Amino acid sequence: MARLAAIWRHPVKGVGAEPLTRTGLEAARPLPGDRAWAILTGEAQATGEWMPCRNFARGCYAPRLMAVKADSHDDGRITFRHPDQAPITLDPAHDGGQLVDWIAPLYSDDRPAPRELVAAPAQGMTDADFPSVALLGRASLEALSAACGAELDERRFRGNLWIEGLEPFAEFDWVGRRLTLGGAELEVVERIGRCRATEANPETGTRDVNTLKALREHFGHTDFGVYARVIRGGEIALGDEVVLS
């Protein structure tokens, strides 16, 4: 029986992950609060619409960002922590410059510098160009860990919903199908192609495992997880059964 094993939210794209025990999903929206903000880099300008990931601060450009942890507060503030930085608590709606300054020492000198924190549109600012929720399989993570010869932390993959009780990579077979989870219904749209962000250890922010090479050599692709679209909103919680329709 497939069940929901973990829920992760990433309030700022590429900067910080936080675990949840339950949340509500809304139709045609990402997981609430996920990638609600993003940090523009270089000369990129905000459009008010969804923009490709190349315009933003990301773990594939700066692996040390992968070690940022986030903790959202009821008043809208977020606390960010990193092993090499003092914690900072701020309101992204008003204190974006503080977060940009905070991540600057963690960023790569050979990449366009972080410049401005911007609010995402209603569809969020995931790497998919539609309001998406990322589903991943715990068995797939175990299979990839075995291929890499190292136990991989699920935070490497910036997923939202981790499912247990599947065969490795069985979630790929869900593309084009619908599923119910708690009170919500989702449609699986496509597989997720991966980048070098997954090579970084989320405890240290250093690249220590060649995940992309392992995926190519052992499984013939560099995909991990699937993007889904919420068709019907509802509450979800850890332990909820996943039912395919």
Side-chain angles (χ1 to χ4, degrees), residues 33-171:
D34 188 66
R35 280 87 167 187
W37 303 89
I39 299 177
L40 290 168
T41 59
E43 300 301 316
Q45 298 294 320
T47 65
E49 305 294 333
W50 179 88
M51 298 170 63
C53 58
R54 64 177 178 271
N55 295 289
F56 301 107
R58 305 167 58 210
C60 68
Y61 298 149
R64 295 175 73 191
L65 292 183
M66 295 295 288
V68 178
K69 299 177 181 179
D71 182 15
S72 297
H73 304 279
D74 292 340
D75 62 1
R77 296 182 304 152
I78 306 172
T79 297
F80 296 91
R81 296 180 175 85
H82 188 278
D84 299 329
Q85 294 278 81
I88 186 172
T89 299
L90 54 84
D91 181 348
H94 304 288
D95 307 322
Q98 294 182 34
L99 183 59
V100 172
D101 292 343
W102 188 80
I103 73 163
L106 306 175
Y107 218 70
S108 304
D109 292 337
D110 60 347
R111 302 297 310 185
R115 184 174 56 79
E116 180 185 3
L117 181 69
V118 296
Q123 77 170 70
M125 202 67 83
T126 67
D127 287 355
D129 61 358
F130 61 93
S132 65
V133 176
L135 279 64
L136 304 94
R138 280 271 177 88
S140 304
L141 184 65
E142 293 172 3
L144 181 55
S145 293
C148 292
E151 185 174 351
L152 301 178
D153 190 308
E154 63 192 25
R155 289 174 294 169
R156 289 179 186 257
F157 298 90
R158 294 297 198 226
N160 297 127
L161 309 179
W162 283 86
I163 310 300
E164 61 184 6
L166 303 174
E167 292 298 315
F169 298 99
E171 56 273 19

Side-chain angles (χ1 to χ4, degrees), residues 23 57 202:
T23 189

Side-chain angles (χ1 to χ4, degrees), residues 226-242:
V226 291
Y227 284 128
R229 179 185 289 111
V230 180
I231 302 300
R232 184 185 72 242
E235 295 294 316
I236 63 171
L238 298 184
D240 282 348
E241 184 179 357
V242 179

